[in-house]
Amino acid sequence: AALFVAPLPASAAVSCSVSTTGAMNFMTYDPVSAANATVTVTLNCQNSPPPGSVTVNWSMQLTNGSSGTCVGATGRTMRRQPALDATIGYNIYQNATSTVWGNAGCGTFPSGSFGITGNNSFAVNQTMTGVAPSGQFVPAGNYSETLQLTVSF
C-alpha cells in the first residue's frame, strides 16, 4: 500500500515537519502465513522564538482506501493490478497493537499532545504495522492500494 503524507500547518510559534521510513510493502503474500509490513511516521516540531512554552496537539488519520472501511482484520483491500479482478484483505494497526489505524469514521487513530519549552524540539514516532491475514487464496499478481495519511498539528 502506498502512503501519501499531507501535513497541516501548526501555529506561528512552532515549525513542524513530517517524515516516513517509506512505503509499506508486503513483498510476497503466502496464503499459509500472514504477511506483515511496517512504516514509521515521525512528527518533529521546533519551538521558534520568541522563547516560551507551547502545547502542540496532533493526530494522524489514515484513509480507508478502496474498501471504504477500516473495520476488521481484512477491512482494507489491495486490488490485483491492472485487472482489478481479485483482492487481498489487510489492515493497518497502531504501534504493533490490535488497535486499527483509522480515522474519525473508524474512531481509532493515534493522537496526543506535547509541550515544548524554549527553543527546543520534540518528536513523536508512530509505527504503522500492516497485516494481511493468512487463508486468502488469490491469483498470482501485483496487488496494491494507495492510502493517504493526514497529520494534523
Side-chain angles (χ1 to χ4, degrees):
L3 183 64
F4 173 75
V5 177
L8 301 176
S11 62
V14 177
S15 173
C16 296
S17 63
V18 177
S19 61
T20 70
T21 55
M24 185 169 288
N25 189 340
F26 288 96
M27 302 305 283
T28 303
Y29 177 75
D30 179 353
V32 177
S33 61
N36 298 320
T38 61
V39 171
T40 299
V41 180
T42 301
L43 169 63
N44 191 9
C45 296
Q46 172 75 40
N47 195 15
S48 301
S53 181
V54 65
T55 299
V56 177
N57 297 308
W58 61 271
S59 68
M60 298 180 183
Q61 297 189 46
L62 191 60
T63 58
N64 294 334
S66 61
S67 69
T69 185
C70 63
V71 177
T74 57
R76 293 181 167 106
T77 53
M78 293 180 276
R79 295 186 181 276
R80 187 163 80 150
Q81 305 297 323
L84 304 177
D85 60 349
T87 61
I88 295 176
Y90 73 102
N91 219 330
I92 298 176
Y93 301 92
Q94 301 175 36
N95 297 316
T97 69
S98 61
T99 303
V100 170
W101 190 315
N103 48 60
C106 301
T108 57
F109 54 90
S111 64
S113 64
F114 56 84
I116 306 175
T117 303
N119 202 21
N120 295 307
S121 62
F122 191 86
V124 173
N125 294 304
Q126 296 288 308
T127 301
M128 295 179 171
T129 301
V131 179
S134 62
Q136 301 178 73
F137 295 90
V138 296
N142 293 318
Y143 290 75
S144 68
E145 175 164 63
T146 299
L147 302 176
Q148 180 175 334
L149 174 67
T150 301
V151 179
S152 302
F153 44 86

